[in-house]
Amino acid sequence: MHIISRAEWGARAPESRSTVPWSKRTVFMGHYSAASATQTPRQIQDYHMRVRGWSDVGYNFLINSITGHIYEGRGWTTLGAHCADHNTEAIGVCIIGKDQAGRQDVSDAARRAFKWLYDEANNRKGRRLTLLGHRDRGSTSCPGDEIYSWLKAGLPIVGSSTPQPSQPTPKPGGTRPAPGTPVAFPLPAGWYFGPPSGPDYSVSGLYERYFRGRTDRAWLREWATQLSRRGWSVGQSKRWLGGAGNDGVYGPEYRALAEAFQRDQRLHVDGLIGRNTWDAAFRNPVT
Ligand SMILES: [Zn+2]
């Protein structure tokens, strides 16, 4: 997942900032803006700086409740202004939108983004931060009942992040269904696992980028592991990935494996692992 940087959303420079070390961070706190989801981070920043007189937008991060886009606010280690007396220990994340009774205002995409950011914070901290809503530490209804109850439930994701594909229909001729549990393609639409020399959407594992809470390396290993579940000889000193093993860094060995699998599956053979090649490993019967 991608955090839209301050430069990308056109933030004003902060008037001042002070740093909080990770050792003092213990809380991950949810807020909401209680205003239209069309509000931009820049509008919130302008309000905080011009009307409230703060040095910057108050939150450490902001997430649009509909699109799930994540915006950098003050960032991980800058002191925020989102919960009086608790800004040192708490990383404050604002979900941009309203809480309207009787409907789900926070999309599955926004929930996944929030959870991803929480997982990312825990990874950086090295242990779990306490998950709180603003109302746990201030006299406010923030972050609204919908988000608050979701936080208290531990951020369950019920949406389509791991779609339940229909059972593969066995083809005549005795082909067996794919083994294992289907795993949804983890990259954005149009992206693929490919060489590091490629464009931004060619994800190689070399730079350990995070997608849906795991590194690209872990995902690429997951795909190759699925091929071994299907009976392919994959791993160090095996037929495929025999040199470096299943290390999750795309190179000539992964390309050769992907090409062989694409040929086997009668897919377009380009050696790049996009959605079709990914899904075929989990959904198509073993041929
Ligand atoms: Zn709040």
Side-chain angles (χ1 to χ4, degrees):
M1 224 171 267
H2 171 67
I3 296 175
I4 298 169
S5 71
R6 296 175 65 94
E8 286 174 286
W9 62 261
R12 281 171 68 185
E15 282 163 6
S16 67
R17 53 179 17 176
S18 51
T19 300
V20 180
W22 271 104
S23 59
K24 294 199 172 168
R25 295 294 203 195
T26 55
V27 170
F28 192 85
M29 183 175 281
H31 298 264
Y32 77 145
S33 62
S36 168
T38 61
Q39 220 181 5
T40 64
R42 177 59 195 251
Q43 286 169 325
I44 295 172
Q45 184 192 34
D46 285 345
Y47 176 74
H48 285 178
M49 293 179 79
R50 290 184 188 150
V51 180
R52 299 284 188 91
W54 297 344
S55 60
D56 193 358
V57 63
Y59 307 108
N60 297 94
F61 294 93
L62 306 95
I63 295 172
N64 184 280
S65 63
I66 296 170
T67 64
H69 287 144
I70 304 172
Y71 301 93
E72 179 185 26
R74 298 194 187 191
W76 295 114
T77 54
T78 298
L79 184 71
H82 57 88
C83 182
D85 301 329
H86 297 279
N87 290 306
T88 301
E89 72 265 28
I91 295 166
V93 179
C94 176
I95 296 184
I96 303 172
K98 286 181 188 167
D99 185 13
Q100 301 164 92
R103 49 168 290 181
Q104 180 182 314
D105 294 296
V106 183
S107 70
D108 292 333
R111 288 166 188 246
R112 283 196 295 274
F114 188 95
K115 184 166 192 306
W116 177 84
L117 201 61
Y118 178 53
D119 291 341
E120 180 72 19
N122 291 335
N123 286 342
R124 287 169 186 254
K125 170 74 180 177
R127 67 175 187 83
R128 269 180 107 69
L129 298 166
T130 304
L131 196 54
L132 295 179
H134 189 180
R135 66 173 72 167
D136 289 320
R137 292 288 181 270
S139 56
T140 169
S141 62
C142 180
D145 292 341
E146 179 185 322
I147 296 170
Y148 187 73
S149 57
W150 180 61
L151 294 181
K152 291 290 126 174
L155 312 181
I157 303 286
V158 292
S160 53
S161 123
T162 48
Q164 307 298 317
S166 50
Q167 283 295 322
T169 316
K171 288 180 199 158
T175 51
R176 288 169 291 117
T181 309
V183 176
F185 184 61
L187 304 180
W191 292 40
Y192 52 78
F193 294 95
S197 58
D200 193 46
Y201 48 85
S202 177
V203 174
S204 66
L206 188 62
Y207 307 111
E208 294 204 271
R209 298 153 80 187
Y210 275 82
F211 297 90
R212 297 199 177 171
R214 294 173 69 189
T215 64
D216 45 8
R217 275 186 210 183
W219 287 120
L220 187 51
R221 283 199 298 265
E222 174 86 47
W223 178 81
T225 300
Q226 174 63 8
L227 291 204
S228 67
R229 285 189 203 107
R230 297 176 68 110
W232 289 62
S233 171
V234 172
Q236 206 149 27
S237 61
K238 300 208 170 147
R239 176 165 178 201
W240 304 100
L241 310 182
N246 188 10
D247 63 358
V249 180
Y250 185 97
E253 290 196 303
Y254 279 96
R255 179 185 286 277
L257 173 60
E259 286 178 353
F261 178 68
Q262 288 166 337
R263 249 178 248 115
D264 175 76
Q265 295 285 309
R266 297 195 172 84
L267 297 166
H268 174 63
V269 178
D270 59 8
L272 306 171
I273 304 158
R275 183 180 296 271
N276 288 344
T277 303
W278 179 280
D279 285 348
F282 292 96
R283 295 184 194 170
N284 289 5
V286 177
T287 50

